[in-house]
């Protein structure tokens, strides 16, 4: 069944395949509770977090699990000798998600992936 033209957004600039791929990656990052907790911990941090501080803040005690999710968040998380922090893209993604949901930016409202 075809989608009626009147349901399409009023734009002459449809999304490109790259934009849709980027959006899919963003939804993938935010849809996993562990990745959301990692992004939330880094968003709330006042500076870069060490590996152990990030594991504690995100409540991910299993090193293998944390490593797996950090690899999946490669373009959203920066790693340097100072520790882990959100990349500009990661910060924009978290801020955009919070703005879109009009959510409270406090960690008190973020559930741990282990609970």
């Amino acid at each position: 069944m075809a989608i009626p033209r009147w349901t399409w957004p009023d734009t002459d600039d449809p999304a490109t395949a790259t934009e849709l791929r980027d959006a899919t990656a963003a939804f993938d990052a935010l849809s996993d509770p562990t990745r959301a907790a990692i992004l939330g911990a880094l968003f709330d941090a006042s500076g870069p977090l060490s590996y152990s501080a990030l594991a504690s803040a995100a409540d991910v005690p299993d090193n293998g699990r944390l490593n797996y999710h950090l690899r999946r968040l490669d373009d959203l998380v920066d790693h340097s000798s100072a520790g882990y922090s959100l990349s500009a893209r990661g910060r924009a993604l978290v801020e955009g998600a919070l703005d879109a949901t009009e959510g409270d930016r406090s960690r008190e409202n973020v559930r741990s992936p282990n609970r």
Side-chain angles (χ1 to χ4, degrees):
M1 180 171 155
I3 300 172
R5 176 82 172 133
W6 59 267
T7 62
W8 296 359
D10 291 332
T11 180
D12 292 330
D13 188 23
T16 66
T18 300
E19 290 169 332
L20 292 176
R21 221 177 359 262
D22 289 347
T24 300
F27 284 118
D28 180 55
L30 293 171
S31 69
D32 183 87
T34 300
R35 290 193 286 275
I38 292 168
L39 293 172
L42 293 172
F43 182 78
D44 289 340
S46 59
L49 295 177
S50 69
Y51 183 88
S52 58
L54 176 57
S56 177
D59 196 20
V60 184
D62 180 345
N63 289 346
R65 185 172 169 202
L66 182 58
N67 289 335
Y68 169 79
H69 290 290
L70 284 171
R71 282 192 304 274
R72 297 290 306 267
L73 295 170
D74 183 53
D75 59 335
L76 303 175
V77 175
D78 288 333
H79 179 231
S80 68
S81 59
Y84 292 88
S85 60
L86 286 177
S87 67
R89 184 168 185 238
R91 181 159 300 281
L93 176 65
V94 174
E95 288 174 347
L98 291 171
D99 288 345
T101 60
E102 299 178 9
D104 182 350
R105 295 178 187 223
S106 73
R107 292 290 294 157
E108 296 169 12
N109 293 330
V110 177
R111 295 186 63 186
S112 164
N114 294 327
R115 291 186 205 154

